[in-house]
Structure formats: structure tokens, C-alpha cells
Amino acid sequence: QRMALGEADVDFCVQSCCKPINYALALEEHGQDKVHQHVGREPSGRGFNELTLNHNGRPHNPMINAGAIVATSLVDGDSGNAKLERILQKFAKFAGGELEVDQAIYHSEKTTGHRNRAIAHLLRNYEILEGDPEEPLDAYFRQCSIMVNARDLALMGATLANDGVNPITGVRALASDKVPMV
């Protein structure tokens, strides 16, 4: 059952709500051992956008910007666009339909995202990111600019609560063994 009050169909950009889906995709494609070689699992007690690494020299967890950028870098694809396509496919399974990137918001994110750019270059300096840090960073900016509404987000949460199966479409969005980690 679904119920909505107010303006539940008004679109807005997903911003940091992209992080669990991004993490889910990285886990599914590479498994927890590989993912957690690059990003920790523990709370940081710090701001979500701080330039900080844990005592192992990794981002504290995939729900802070540094960890989300690393998780994005782990998504399969030989370019930022290919990674974004994989991310959008995963979002579609969770939300029950295709979602789009708002290009104006993406360009704003890319133009003003200096702290995230600094984080990505810090990660590259510590060899947590391999290659050009701008590629996963660009995919991260794009995924933060995906447009959703309250219904979409509610269904995405319900999909996690339903052991990774979208309760409306019946499509498995995430393997059952990955749900508790996300």
C-alpha cells in the first residue's frame, strides 16, 4: 500500500540520498571484501564532507562524501558515463522506473564542488583512487543530480525494507545478503 499527502510528486535532486544505492551497486559488483579494502564501515563522528580518512587511511564509510566517491569509482564502467549508466539502472530497479539527471544541477555541482574535488584528489594522493580522480568525481556529481520525488524515495526505502525486492514491480534490486550492509 502507498499513501501520499501534499506534494509527493514534486521532483528534487537526490543529493546524498544517492549514497546507499551507490554503495549497493559497488557491493553487488565487487563484494564486501573488495569494497571494504577501499572504504571503511564505521561511523566517523565527523561532518559528511570533511577532508578526513580513518586510521587505516580510508574513508570512514560509504555514506560520507569521500566514501561515496570511492564507491562510485568501484562501479563497473570504463568511463564516468558508463558508471553513471550502471548507477541509473540500479536506481530504476529501486524506484520502479527510470530516473534522469538534471543537467543544470549537475553543472552547478561540477562548477561549485570544490570540497568534493579536494576530497577526490586527497583520495588519489593516498592511492585510494586509481587514475584520474575527475572521472569518478564527475559520475558522483551526476548521481547527486538525479531527480526523484517523495514517492520514488519512499519506494526505494521500501525496496530495502522488503529484502531488496521492489514491492510494486517485484523486481529484485539488491541481493538479499547485501541488504543488511546497505
Side-chain angles (χ1 to χ4, degrees), residues 118-159:
I119 289 169
H121 284 270
L122 174 74
L123 295 167
R124 176 63 183 105
N125 182 65
Y126 283 93
E127 298 180 353
I128 298 164
L129 290 181
E130 298 175 5
D132 183 3
E134 293 295 324
E135 181 183 297
L137 182 64
D138 190 68
Y140 178 69
F141 287 147
R142 288 179 192 264
Q143 71 181 314
C144 287
S145 304
I146 294 171
M147 298 303 286
V148 295
N149 59 44
R151 290 179 191 271
D152 296 329
L153 281 182
L155 188 51
M156 293 165 76
T159 298

Side-chain angles (χ1 to χ4, degrees), residues 25 72 75-91 99-101 103 106 135 138-146:
L25 183 55
T72 301
V75 171
D76 287 341
D78 58 0
S79 69
N81 286 336
K83 289 175 186 297
L84 179 66
E85 283 305 312
R86 301 273 306 132
I87 292 164
L88 285 169
Q89 290 169 3
K90 182 57 74 179
F91 264 82
L99 300 173
E100 295 182 3
V101 172
Q103 293 301 316
Y106 156 67
E135 181 183 297
D138 190 68
Y140 178 69
F141 287 147
R142 288 179 192 264
Q143 71 181 314
C144 287
S145 304
I146 294 171

Side-chain angles (χ1 to χ4, degrees), residues 2-181:
R2 293 185 287 179
M3 180 180 159
L5 298 172
E7 299 177 12
D9 294 319
V10 174
D11 286 344
F12 54 91
C13 62
V14 70
Q15 290 297 322
S16 283
C17 292
C18 70
K19 293 172 182 172
I21 307 305
N22 183 33
Y23 177 50
L25 183 55
L27 284 171
E28 200 166 67
E29 291 182 344
H30 299 287
Q32 71 175 344
D33 290 342
K34 178 167 178 148
V35 170
H36 293 292
Q37 287 173 0
H38 300 278
V39 63
R41 305 177 230 219
E42 299 301 322
S44 67
R46 314 283 297 266
F48 72 95
N49 65 349
E50 284 196 40
L51 289 133
T52 183
L53 301 174
N54 68 17
H55 63 279
N56 293 321
R58 297 180 296 214
H60 290 275
N61 62 66
M63 301 305 154
I64 61 172
N65 291 12
I69 293 167
V70 170
T72 301
S73 78
L74 296 173
V75 171
D76 287 341
D78 58 0
S79 69
N81 286 336
K83 289 175 186 297
L84 179 66
E85 283 305 312
R86 301 273 306 132
I87 292 164
L88 285 169
Q89 290 169 3
K90 182 57 74 179
F91 264 82
K93 288 182 179 180
F94 272 89
E98 290 186 23
L99 300 173
E100 295 182 3
V101 172
D102 183 297
Q103 293 301 316
I105 293 171
Y106 156 67
H107 288 293
S108 175
E109 291 279 332
K110 185 174 182 172
T111 303
T112 63
H114 304 299
R115 180 176 284 280
N116 283 331
R117 188 161 283 107
I119 289 169
H121 284 270
L122 174 74
L123 295 167
R124 176 63 183 105
N125 182 65
Y126 283 93
E127 298 180 353
I128 298 164
L129 290 181
E130 298 175 5
D132 183 3
E134 293 295 324
E135 181 183 297
L137 182 64
D138 190 68
Y140 178 69
F141 287 147
R142 288 179 192 264
Q143 71 181 314
C144 287
S145 304
I146 294 171
M147 298 303 286
V148 295
N149 59 44
R151 290 179 191 271
D152 296 329
L153 281 182
L155 188 51
M156 293 165 76
T159 298
L160 278 173
N162 194 40
D163 197 37
V165 176
N166 185 304
I168 302 299
T169 66
V171 170
R172 178 161 289 285
L174 183 62
S176 183
D177 64 322
K178 307 289 187 288
V179 172
M181 287 178 274

